[in-house]
Amino acid sequence: MTGGARSGKSAIAERLTLELGGDPVYIATAEAGDAEMAARIALHRDRRGSNWTTREAPLHLAEALYATDGAGPRLVDCLTLWLSNLMLAGGDWQQASQSLAAAIPSQSAPVVFVTNEVGAGIVPENALARAYRDAAGLLNQSVAAVSQEVYLAVAGIPVKVK
Amino acid sequence: MTGGARSGKSAIAERLTLELGGDPVYIATAEAGDAEMAARIALHRDRRGSNWTTREAPLHLAEALYATDGAGPRLVDCLTLWLSNLMLAGGDWQQASQSLAAAIPSQSAPVVFVTNEVGAGIVPENALARAYRDAAGLLNQSVAAVSQEVYLAVAGIPVKVK
Amino acid sequence: MTGGARSGKSAIAERLTLELGGDPVYIATAEAGDAEMAARIALHRDRRGSNWTTREAPLHLAEALYATDGAGPRLVDCLTLWLSNLMLAGGDWQQASQSLAAAIPSQSAPVVFVTNEVGAGIVPENALARAYRDAAGLLNQSVAAVSQEVYLAVAGIPVKVK
């Protein structure tokens, strides 16, 4: 589930996850580092309601998938934030991205990923922002390649692209 | 009708509005505040030709819809500019957005809205720009939810998403 | 073939070009002006392999199409870089864009174009960046209008829009 900011990605992904049946697990890559992010996290949590189990995975996402496999469907929200956590922590995002892509096909319970489209604006002047948008595009490609379905959210509407 | 800058949204929306038949009404949210905007407005007006009635609604859009209902089809160009007018004027854009979404289903003559995709670039450093792109995404979702059809313009081509 | 940064456009376009059969010609609009661009060019060249003939056309693209017509399929990568070369050189990009659109229908061997979506982020503060994204949108529209097929790349997946 990819799309621009506020395109309805998270809400659509939550519905898709619930439709898969079983007890849903929410794998959060966000950390409430500032007030703006804390408010956004609280908004998402209130919308989901209490039937979800939440697990935080700001950095070790592949490990979190293995650790939660076997139960209900998992919703990972979101990949681009995970990428920015990895890059800020000075981690090897390419290695982490490969480990993630390798972990996906072996999961027995389904996983829904939320990610962002960040590459359809003007080329950023900032070199770090350019590196980030390149990395995000490559990460999206590698996860999409091993996913059974891929959707683009446009104005709250999921458009199936795979 | 959503899409990026210069994706052909306005031209496609004008064709769609004319195909609906009847005397078309152009509801402009733009105000010619500077030379760049004045030139863009003149370009759009020349392309439309003289069979359109024009009405300006930089702020009171729901009211303009009620006031023009019953005659021919309306084309609102565009929602993201209306949003930026509201935010610059210090208005309550969330309330205005709800009033707009509430006005749409009760219209008897059709309305075509043009809006912009502004959330698919890198996260802006500027807090106001982040607030604006969040607001634009939510506005697009709320209007799309009560619209019968939704299109994404890509390189001048309308892609039906609803 | 349009799409955001790192959406897989070039790789998909290379596959499409090879599927057309015949000896492929790569028409590069890039010039290795700095280390970042040189690295990107080398990466693309390594991926393509040695069966491609390469021709550089940073400015005279329509001429390059006429000069390579009759042999195998051509891949032009990419239009938005060509546009930025034209604008930086102070050339008449509107005239060049019209010449390109006029050249396309008369080609006997097929041409695949790669371009970028640059207009789906927040409106840039920089006037030159706004002029560029407007020009890129218009160029994409004019090439798409005379193309037989148009695709949008999303996370490495081509979505047919025409």
Side-chain angles (χ1 to χ4, degrees):
Chain A
M1 175 63 52
T2 188
R6 298 296 182 164
S7 60
K9 303 177 304 289
S10 292
I12 299 168
E14 287 165 23
R15 286 202 305 271
L16 283 175
T17 307
L18 292 175
E19 286 167 16
L20 292 166
D23 293 330
V25 179
Y26 184 81
I27 301 180
T29 59
E31 290 179 301
D34 61 27
E36 187 176 335
M37 188 55 83
R40 190 167 284 212
I41 290 173
L43 188 76
H44 281 205
R45 194 178 46 226
D46 289 351
R47 186 179 58 205
R48 281 197 305 277
S50 59
N51 56 329
W52 292 72
T53 305
T54 297
R55 187 187 176 103
E56 294 189 1
L59 294 171
H60 300 104
L61 185 50
E63 292 82 345
L65 291 185
Y66 288 119
T68 56
D69 196 18
R74 276 81 46 87
L75 170 57
V76 175
D77 194 351
C78 66
L79 287 178
T80 31
L81 199 51
W82 173 66
L83 176 67
S84 99
N85 293 340
L86 283 171
M87 291 176 91
L88 287 171
D92 183 342
W93 68 266
Q94 288 168 302
Q95 177 58 47
S97 175
Q98 285 172 18
S99 300
L100 176 64
I104 295 170
S106 68
Q107 300 293 309
S108 52
V111 190
V112 176
F113 292 95
V114 174
T115 190
N116 276 265
E117 290 296 304
V118 298
I122 218 73
V123 179
E125 290 177 36
N126 179 324
L128 183 60
R130 285 201 300 279
Y132 175 71
R133 73 173 204 154
D134 279 359
L138 294 172
L139 173 60
N140 287 351
Q141 285 189 52
S142 71
V143 172
V146 293
S147 294
Q148 292 173 319
E149 299 179 6
V150 176
Y151 296 85
L152 173 69
V154 177
I157 300 155
V159 179
K160 190 167 187 174
V161 302
K162 176 181 176 180
Chain B
M1 175 61 55
T2 187
R6 298 295 183 164
S7 60
K9 304 177 302 291
S10 292
I12 299 169
E14 286 165 24
R15 287 203 304 271
L16 283 175
T17 307
L18 292 175
E19 286 168 15
L20 292 166
D23 293 329
V25 179
Y26 184 81
I27 301 179
T29 59
E31 290 179 301
D34 60 28
E36 187 176 335
M37 189 54 83
R40 191 167 283 212
I41 290 173
L43 188 76
H44 281 205
R45 194 177 47 226
D46 289 351
R47 187 178 57 205
R48 281 197 304 278
S50 59
N51 55 331
W52 293 72
T53 306
T54 298
R55 185 186 178 102
E56 294 191 1
L59 294 171
H60 301 104
L61 185 50
E63 293 82 345
L65 291 185
Y66 288 119
T68 56
D69 195 17
R74 277 83 45 87
L75 170 58
V76 176
D77 194 352
C78 67
L79 287 178
T80 31
L81 198 51
W82 173 65
L83 176 67
S84 100
N85 293 340
L86 283 171
M87 291 176 90
L88 287 171
D92 184 343
W93 67 265
Q94 288 168 302
Q95 177 58 48
S97 175
Q98 285 172 18
S99 300
L100 176 65
I104 294 170
S106 67
Q107 300 294 309
S108 53
V111 190
V112 176
F113 292 95
V114 173
T115 190
N116 277 265
E117 291 296 304
V118 297
I122 218 75
V123 179
E125 290 177 36
N126 179 325
L128 183 60
R130 285 201 301 278
Y132 174 72
R133 73 173 203 154
D134 279 359
L138 294 172
L139 172 61
N140 286 351
Q141 285 190 51
S142 71
V143 172
V146 294
S147 294
Q148 291 173 318
E149 299 179 5
V150 177
Y151 296 86
L152 173 68
V154 178
I157 300 156
V159 180
K160 189 168 186 172
V161 302
K162 177 182 176 180
Chain C
M1 175 61 54
T2 189
R6 298 294 182 167
S7 60
K9 303 178 303 291
S10 293
I12 299 169
E14 286 165 23
R15 287 202 305 271
L16 283 175
T17 307
L18 292 175
E19 286 168 15
L20 292 166
D23 293 328
V25 178
Y26 183 82
I27 301 180
T29 60
E31 291 180 300
D34 60 28
E36 187 177 335
M37 188 54 83
R40 191 168 283 212
I41 290 173
L43 187 77
H44 281 205
R45 194 177 48 226
D46 290 351
R47 187 178 58 205
R48 282 197 303 279
S50 58
N51 56 330
W52 293 73
T53 305
T54 298
R55 187 186 177 104
E56 294 190 2
L59 294 171
H60 301 104
L61 186 50
E63 293 82 345
L65 291 185
Y66 288 119
T68 57
D69 196 17
R74 277 81 47 86
L75 170 58
V76 175
D77 194 352
C78 68
L79 287 178
T80 31
L81 198 51
W82 174 65
L83 176 67
S84 100
N85 293 340
L86 283 171
M87 291 176 90
L88 287 171
D92 183 343
W93 68 265
Q94 287 167 302
Q95 176 59 48
S97 174
Q98 285 172 19
S99 300
L100 177 64
I104 295 170
S106 67
Q107 300 294 309
S108 53
V111 190
V112 176
F113 292 95
V114 174
T115 191
N116 276 265
E117 291 296 303
V118 298
I122 218 74
V123 180
E125 290 177 35
N126 179 326
L128 183 60
R130 284 200 301 278
Y132 175 71
R133 73 172 204 155
D134 279 358
L138 293 172
L139 173 60
N140 287 351
Q141 284 189 52
S142 71
V143 172
V146 293
S147 294
Q148 291 174 318
E149 300 178 7
V150 177
Y151 297 85
L152 173 68
V154 178
I157 300 155
V159 180
K160 189 167 187 173
V161 302
K162 176 182 176 180

